[in-house]
Amino acid sequence: MTPRSGRNGPSGNSDVYAVFYVEDNPVYAEQTVEIGSSQLEARCGEGWRWEAGNFGTTVFNNPGPPAFDTPGPNTGPEAQTTLDDDGNAVFVFKGNLVCGW
């Protein structure tokens, strides 16, 4: 994991960016791998996003009007992708305030 954080422009809100590398034995190449973290997602009150490499699925929660969406952890499918021929995959997490570490 390679975490980064910073301020979000003039609002002063915090952002968090993390890269997660999955490494497994090449015997598992082409198998599906998924990722999620309810604790990390729950800390991001202004939205979060998992991006999967290798043409995987992207999962996000960007709060809209209260009737449509609320911030918090993912309650649906996890972000997923396929391990490459060497047994590797990568995921990127992006989150917005209140991502307190």
Side-chain angles (χ1 to χ4, degrees), residues 62-99:
N62 294 317
F68 299 105
D69 202 2
T70 56
N74 183 15
T75 57
E78 304 287 356
Q80 59 179 268
T81 192
T82 304
L83 293 171
D84 66 17
D85 290 339
D86 296 319
N88 301 316
V90 64
F91 294 91
V92 175
F93 180 85
K94 299 175 182 179
N96 298 23
L97 186 73
V98 197
C99 281

Side-chain angles (χ1 to χ4, degrees), residues 12-84:
N13 294 342
S14 296
D15 293 335
V16 62
Y17 305 92
V19 178
F20 295 84
Y21 295 97
V22 178
E23 298 177 2
D24 208 335
N25 192 309
V27 72
Y28 297 110
E30 306 305 320
Q31 298 295 310
T32 301
V33 62
E34 58 184 37
I35 193 168
S37 172
S38 59
Q39 290 178 331
L40 183 57
E41 296 158 1
R43 307 264 323 223
C44 297
E46 290 188 6
W48 52 263
R49 175 183 188 99
W50 283 104
E51 297 177 0
N54 201 21
F55 306 104
T57 60
T58 296
V59 177
F60 60 91
N61 181 350
N62 294 317
F68 299 105
D69 202 2
T70 56
N74 183 15
T75 57
E78 304 287 356
Q80 59 179 268
T81 192
T82 304
L83 293 171
D84 66 17

